[in-house]
Amino acid sequence: MAIKPLALQRGDTIGIVTLGSPLAAERINACIAYLQSMGLQVLLGRYVYAENGFLAGSDQQRAEDLMSMFTNPRVKMILPVRGGVGVEGILPYLDYSVIKANPKLISGYSDITILLNVLYQYADIVTLHSLLLLDFRANTPPYNFEQFFTATSSTAVPRPLVNPPGMPLTGKVPGSATGPIVGGNITSLIGSLGTPYEIDTAGKIFFIEETHEPINRVYRYVEQLKLAGKFSDASAILMGECNECADAYGVSYEDLINEVMVPLGKPLITNLASGHGRYKAAVPIGVVANLNSHTQTVTLLEPAVRY
């Protein structure tokens, strides 16, 4: 059972870091102000506003910022500004034994996916595939904040992982499986294959989602994961949306699911609101859940946090 960080409470301090691509200072500041309006304090990393081409500072600088948040006793949670590219570059510079000794909440999606899974695998801590700092703004759906704050503060279980009203989960391959949830953005996961940080899906519920990729490219990514044994190792598959993924040669995302994923024969649920879509379910990485495609439910069997 993975280590659960302490729950987030009103007045707690959130450490803000930029771990991948940079973001304009005015956008960062607006999101920080919105976060503070929710009753939370912030502590900025040294390189939050850094810009080094398509990266926010060097790999070592971004890793230093993250480590400083894990070791700072004031910080209850760590919130990356955005994903983008480059998060994998910090992985060799992290001290996973120190992180394991100082478990803290960390949330994100997109390129943060690789970090979420590596922290679970190397430091044995629960992480959260949920909001980034850039999502703290007035036009974010209330569902997203409800999901985020429930996951970061509630210890009530069992708890269903639910979509917003009118967006049902869909069972595609019958079956039921129980295991920790791992995964996230496909592009980020593909980048881990063949490295020391390759995602481990053995006995896990494997969750995937994607954005802004044509379906023929998504097919390539899915096939690579299949050839790497990531689906055969998994106990079940949970698929999120493919946000703004254009059809290719008349083939849609739904066609890809039916023609490539369904034949894998693993218990399969699709249509989870997650990651890059407008609605973002909070998916705890490393938490044991049950996926039941007969009832079209995903049930969290343990909390993501502790008091």
Side-chain angles (χ1 to χ4, degrees):
M1 189 175 294
I3 300 166
K4 295 168 180 61
L6 287 171
L8 185 68
Q9 301 181 66
R10 189 176 182 85
D12 281 344
T13 296
I14 294 184
I16 307 298
V17 289
T18 308
L19 302 179
S21 299
L23 189 68
E26 58 269 24
R27 288 191 64 189
I28 293 174
N29 293 338
C31 292
I32 286 172
Y34 196 89
L35 184 63
Q36 291 172 319
S37 75
M38 294 179 150
L40 294 160
Q41 307 300 313
V42 300
L43 178 67
L44 300 185
R46 182 177 177 183
Y47 302 102
V48 164
Y49 301 107
E51 293 189 27
N52 180 22
F54 52 79
L55 298 174
S58 70
D59 293 342
Q60 294 93 330
Q61 288 170 334
R62 287 175 285 122
E64 177 187 322
D65 260 6
L66 182 59
M67 289 304 306
S68 72
M69 294 304 176
F70 273 110
T71 56
N72 190 323
R74 285 179 52 201
V75 175
K76 180 67 77 67
M77 180 176 186
I78 302 166
L79 192 62
V81 166
R82 62 167 299 181
V85 298
V87 176
E88 68 275 13
I90 73 173
L91 301 180
Y93 301 102
L94 302 180
D95 189 327
Y96 297 100
S97 61
V98 170
I99 293 171
K100 184 173 183 177
N102 297 273
K104 294 183 182 182
L105 281 164
I106 182 166
S107 174
Y109 58 96
S110 194
D111 204 43
I112 303 297
T113 287
I114 182 63
L115 177 65
L116 300 178
N117 288 275
V118 167
L119 291 180
Y120 166 54
Q121 289 177 205
Y122 274 64
D124 197 31
I125 64 171
V126 169
T127 59
L128 194 63
H129 189 276
S130 184
L131 304 186
L132 292 161
L133 177 67
L134 59 77
D135 295 304
F136 283 83
R137 56 184 190 266
N139 64 347
T140 291
Y143 166 87
N144 297 1
F145 290 130
E146 183 275 330
Q147 285 279 301
F148 176 84
F149 286 110
T150 297
T152 56
S153 63
S154 175
T155 57
V157 288
R159 180 170 66 84
L161 197 58
V162 296
N163 272 0
M167 187 179 174
L169 296 175
T170 304
K172 299 291 285 188
V173 177
S176 176
T178 298
I181 302 175
V182 297
N185 178 250
I186 300 174
T187 300
S188 183
L189 297 173
I190 288 293
S192 77
L193 298 182
T195 75
Y197 309 104
E198 182 170 324
I199 187 169
D200 176 13
T201 62
K204 313 293 197 306
I205 296 172
F206 188 21
F207 157 59
I208 55 175
E209 63 87 38
E210 190 51 89
T211 187
H212 286 89
E213 295 282 7
I215 295 303
N216 56 327
R217 192 171 299 158
V218 177
Y219 166 81
R220 174 186 289 171
Y221 295 162
V222 166
E223 284 296 314
Q224 189 170 356
L225 289 169
K226 184 169 73 172
L227 291 171
K230 299 308 171 183
F231 296 123
S232 60
D233 285 350
S235 61
I237 302 167
L238 175 61
M239 296 188 70
E241 300 169 274
C242 203
N243 180 57
E244 300 293 331
C245 292
D247 293 359
Y249 301 92
V251 178
S252 67
Y253 183 53
E254 188 67 21
D255 294 331
L256 177 69
I257 291 171
N258 291 330
E259 295 170 15
V260 179
M261 303 304 297
V262 169
L264 296 174
K266 296 284 181 173
L268 171 64
I269 284 180
T270 65
N271 204 41
L272 179 69
S274 60
H276 291 87
R278 173 168 169 75
Y279 298 103
K280 304 180 192 303
V283 182
I285 303 300
V287 158
V288 174
N290 173 261
L291 180 148
N292 189 323
S293 54
H294 298 286
T295 57
Q296 303 180 111
T297 56
V298 179
T299 305
L300 304 177
L301 302 180
E302 55 179 345
V305 295
R306 61 183 171 86
Y307 279 97

